[in-house]
Amino acid sequence: MESKTARLTVLIDPVKKKAFEELCAAQDQTPSQVVRQLIRDYLEAHGVSYSTQSRISSVRKP
């Protein structure tokens, strides 16, 4: 897990922001948790590794 954090500012339409926040709340997750997962998934989909990635999750199954 990451030990330090950095801020990422994203501009989004207020209606989409509200819908996103409501969906996150309904799924008992914070918007930050969901965005972090989206970023991890995006990096993985594009074959990008990073230093805080666990060794186990970086091993691809055949």
Side-chain angles (χ1 to χ4, degrees):
M1 172 148 295
E2 296 91 3
S3 59
K4 293 185 179 182
T5 59
R7 184 172 308 273
L8 174 66
T9 302
V10 177
L11 300 177
I12 186 171
D13 175 280
V15 175
K16 288 183 189 84
K17 179 180 181 283
K18 185 176 187 313
F20 179 63
E21 290 172 336
E22 289 174 356
L23 178 57
C24 290
Q27 296 177 337
D28 197 27
Q29 293 186 311
T30 67
S32 290
Q33 288 171 318
V34 174
V35 169
R36 284 192 295 268
Q37 186 62 53
L38 288 168
I39 291 171
R40 286 190 297 269
D41 293 346
Y42 188 77
L43 290 171
E44 181 180 343
H46 292 280
V48 177
S49 61
Y50 47 96
S51 63
T52 59
Q53 187 175 25
S54 84
R55 299 261 184 226
I56 294 171
S57 67
S58 64
V59 174
R60 294 195 181 249
K61 294 179 183 179

